[in-house]
Amino acid sequence: MSNEHIAQENLRALASNPYPGRGFVLGLSEDGESFFQVYWIMGRSESSRNRVFECGMEQPLSFSGPRVSTRAADPSKVQEKDRHLIIYDAMLEAPGLFVVSNGAQTNAVRDAMKDGAFLMDSLKDWQYEPDAPNHTPRITGVIDLRPGGEAEIAVLLKTPDGDGCVRMRYPLGLQPGFGYCVTTYETDGNPLPSFRKPPYIMPIRGLVHDILDTYWSALDKVNRVAIVVKQIWREPKSSTIAIENKHRLPG
């Protein structure tokens, strides 16, 4: 079975899944000249659905690229107990380094790796999210265009029995026109079942807005909240970002 067939089957499976939760795809353009990071958030509760993506520059401007963060669509609805899990930087950059994750670990990974740390070392003080009974996995993806760098994914999962943390690293051999996807959940449920499989192949076709439309259309219309697609150019090592929010940006 060809990669094209498998990737399209996986895209159809995503479209039929009511709740894969948060997820991302790291991929390579069809011409091999640029990389892509696709990240989406979903929500079942009012708190989780009360979010948008916002793009801006870091202050101070100590790094080369923009940051993409989650923000409350309606600040009056934010519950303080949930703030640290739903409001975070989802995409950050340093020169030649591009990080995406589903939580506050984005900052820790970017800061450690820009100073020479490896991905798993940068996550040594982190584990799955403290949101019992779901124990949501932390998923992190890196595209490192610096000498010796690579594309890779890290997943931090709760052990099936006990409170231990399983730490998985997946180096990616990206092929033109394809990417690899991980999500936080297998599907809907109570509690939500963690996604425990290796990254799976997905299509990367067209330009940044084409890819955004493909994945936004695939997500469940009731539970989808926002999506961001970043195109990363090999030379110069810069990025272009497109965002789709279900809710309007506040203010």
Side-chain angles (χ1 to χ4, degrees):
M1 192 178 297
S2 69
N3 282 343
E4 178 64 29
H5 181 82
I6 296 170
Q8 292 299 330
E9 284 292 309
N10 287 338
L11 182 61
R12 283 190 282 272
L14 178 67
S16 67
N17 188 341
Y19 203 69
R22 287 165 281 173
F24 62 71
V25 180
L26 302 188
L28 185 62
S29 64
E30 294 169 275
D31 63 8
E33 293 301 315
S34 59
F35 296 87
F36 284 93
Q37 293 176 329
V38 183
Y39 178 57
W40 63 80
I41 54 177
M42 304 182 78
R44 299 189 304 176
S45 67
E46 182 181 43
S47 180
S48 292
R49 291 177 175 177
N50 179 40
R51 289 182 291 174
V52 293
F53 280 138
E54 182 177 58
C55 182
M57 299 301 294
E58 290 194 72
Q59 298 293 334
L61 299 178
S62 53
F63 303 110
S64 63
R67 74 194 305 169
V68 177
S69 307
T70 62
R71 181 179 175 187
D74 183 346
S76 69
K77 294 180 179 179
V78 176
Q79 300 181 34
E80 286 304 314
K81 66 181 180 67
D82 296 330
R83 179 180 292 274
H84 71 293
L85 293 177
I86 66 172
I87 306 298
Y88 56 89
D89 291 328
M91 288 182 173
L92 289 173
E93 301 180 11
L97 178 66
F98 303 85
V99 182
V100 56
S101 95
N102 70 327
Q105 73 269 22
T106 316
N107 301 72
V109 170
R110 191 278 308 274
D111 292 348
M113 289 192 69
K114 76 178 179 64
D115 290 333
F118 293 110
L119 174 57
M120 298 310 289
D121 290 337
S122 71
L123 289 165
K124 62 183 176 62
D125 296 326
W126 296 82
Q127 60 174 10
Y128 51 87
E129 293 185 349
D131 62 341
N134 295 317
H135 304 291
T136 300
R138 289 191 188 271
I139 56 175
T140 307
V142 170
I143 293 175
D144 189 350
L145 301 184
R146 301 171 300 178
E150 61 184 326
E152 54 186 325
I153 291 173
V155 180
L156 307 183
L157 287 161
K158 182 181 177 296
T159 54
D161 299 309
D163 297 326
C165 182
V166 179
R167 299 171 180 273
M168 305 297 294
R169 173 184 175 267
Y170 301 97
L172 305 178
L174 295 177
Q175 305 170 49
F178 298 99
Y180 285 92
C181 177
V182 291
T183 59
T184 52
Y185 308 124
E186 187 72 32
T187 188
D188 206 352
N190 287 297
L192 288 158
S194 293
F195 182 84
R196 295 184 177 275
K197 301 174 184 176
Y200 57 90
I201 197 166
M202 294 288 269
I204 295 291
R205 296 288 185 268
L207 303 177
V208 63
H209 287 286
D210 300 316
I211 295 169
L212 185 148
D213 290 343
T214 294
Y215 285 94
W216 185 243
S217 298
L219 297 175
D220 182 83
K221 290 181 173 56
V222 174
N223 293 318
R224 67 187 184 185
V225 173
I227 189 170
V228 55
V229 178
K230 176 181 284 190
Q231 185 170 13
I232 301 162
W233 305 98
R234 287 185 186 270
E235 292 297 340
K237 297 177 178 65
S238 60
S239 63
T240 300
I241 291 172
I243 291 174
E244 179 78 28
N245 288 314
K246 190 170 188 175
H247 304 294
R248 295 182 62 181
L249 279 167

